Amino acid sequence: MAGMKVTSLTALRAASWKARARSDLFALHLPADGQVRIALGQKISKERIGTELEGMFNGASPLAAMQLIHRLRLFPVVFSVPAPLSNALGPLYGGACVGCMAAGDAALEAQLSVQLDREERRTLQIAAMLLPLRSCEAPGAKGKLQPAPVVILRESIKWRAKDGDSVQMLHDTAADLLRIVGMLDQGPQQQQQQQPAGPATATNNATASSILPAELSADVRVVFGNAIRRMKQFWRIGVLLAPLLTMHCASPLGVERAEGGPEGRERRGGRQRRR
């Protein structure tokens, strides 16, 4: 193994092996080689990278594969973003992303009552992994600015467009779900002072009623019902994802906050927006 020539495809397949067999048989002998990173970015098609990643996320331990990719310093090559965002993020943003993915896995393991199928689990892992990049924007296929997670999924690894749409929806809804958690910690009188975020349908209210305790206010049910309406079949993933926003690993990357606190201005991906 010591004399084995390490190529970019070898590195990807080692990560895939680790995901499927939970084995370090090849991974332990792979160096963090700059030439491998260059070759992976220039000689391996994005479609091929995406296909290898599909195998990893369908394996027994996708987290272990992503940890290996980060250890080999391949994360910013595999999940690449265009400049100037890549310059703002630097080469080590994979650490926070993999940390969030681990937190998502831990959240699912802790909730024994929540059962996700393979597709749902993959969506949770991808959404958690890319959560630190939720405030970043990057130019998409036609040069139009899009959320960085969408650009990564659609352009960098050539996954389905609906994968990017699902992740963006979960990221957009996570803050609303976290607000619901805060409302649950309040008393009924304080809950009633909260304003509902738009109309909720009877179906949404029925779903919320089946999940939330009976003593909660109608406003909390409306807010939760609207969140379920946006998430549709992904609402269980959203409930697991939202608490990750409070963790250090999920702090927005590529964002410089102006004076005035979190409600002030943010500079993201070379552009500035006001919340």
Side-chain angles (χ1 to χ4, degrees):
M1 295 291 291
M4 180 182 68
K5 181 180 179 181
V6 178
T7 67
S8 53
L9 196 54
T10 302
L12 273 184
R13 286 177 173 169
S16 183
W17 176 269
K18 189 173 180 69
R20 294 173 181 175
R22 300 178 184 263
S23 172
D24 286 319
L25 178 62
F26 301 116
L28 291 175
H29 300 272
L30 293 176
D33 193 327
Q35 293 300 317
V36 172
R37 292 195 294 274
I38 293 173
L40 185 59
Q42 295 179 354
K43 297 183 179 181
I44 306 299
S45 70
K46 295 179 179 180
E47 289 82 2
R48 180 59 181 272
I49 292 174
T51 298
E52 293 291 337
L53 287 170
E54 288 274 4
M56 296 178 207
F57 277 88
N58 289 332
S61 184
L63 175 61
M66 296 306 104
Q67 289 171 331
L68 176 60
I69 285 176
H70 173 59
R71 179 172 71 78
L72 296 176
R73 301 180 186 177
L74 296 176
F75 196 94
V77 181
V78 173
F79 301 99
S80 61
V81 293
L85 179 57
S86 58
N87 298 329
L89 291 174
L92 301 177
Y93 62 90
C97 293
V98 173
C100 269
M101 183 177 176
D105 275 8
L108 178 58
E109 293 299 324
Q111 297 293 330
L112 299 179
S113 61
V114 178
Q115 299 294 323
L116 302 182
D117 61 29
R118 187 174 67 178
E119 183 75 14
E120 291 172 329
R121 189 182 185 101
R122 186 183 80 156
T123 300
L124 170 63
Q125 290 174 320
I126 286 291
M129 186 181 74
L130 298 179
L131 193 61
L133 303 177
R134 65 190 180 279
S135 294
C136 300
E137 289 179 336
K142 297 182 180 180
K144 182 180 178 180
L145 283 177
Q146 295 180 311
V150 173
V151 174
I152 289 173
L153 292 172
R154 292 183 180 177
E155 308 301 331
S156 298
I157 62 176
K158 297 297 183 181
W159 278 14
R160 302 168 301 182
K162 72 174 187 177
D163 291 322
D165 294 339
S166 298
V167 167
Q168 181 182 355
M169 176 272 299
L170 286 166
H171 287 177
D172 290 344
T173 312
D176 289 339
L177 288 174
L178 195 61
R179 183 163 67 94
I180 293 170
V181 172
M183 294 168 70
L184 294 177
D185 292 334
Q186 299 171 352
Q189 186 173 4
Q190 290 174 299
Q191 293 170 12
Q192 291 174 359
Q193 294 173 357
Q194 298 287 339
Q195 294 298 320
T201 65
T203 300
N204 297 334
N205 281 330
T207 304
S209 297
S210 67
I211 299 168
L212 298 175
E215 65 271 14
L216 293 178
S217 72
D219 283 349
V220 175
R221 296 175 184 280
V222 170
V223 174
F224 190 66
N226 282 321
I228 289 178
R229 176 176 57 84
R230 294 195 298 276
M231 291 183 294
K232 298 180 181 178
Q233 74 271 23
F234 296 115
W235 70 267
R236 292 179 298 174
I237 300 174
V239 170
L240 293 168
L241 188 70
L244 303 189
L245 291 176
T246 65
M247 298 183 178
H248 178 70
C249 64
S251 298
L253 298 177
V255 173
E256 298 176 4
R257 294 195 184 279
E259 293 183 1
E263 297 304 322
R265 292 177 296 173
E266 289 182 351
R267 185 178 298 277
R268 51 191 277 184
R271 290 171 60 90
Q272 195 176 70
R273 71 174 182 128
R274 184 180 297 274
R275 281 184 167 180

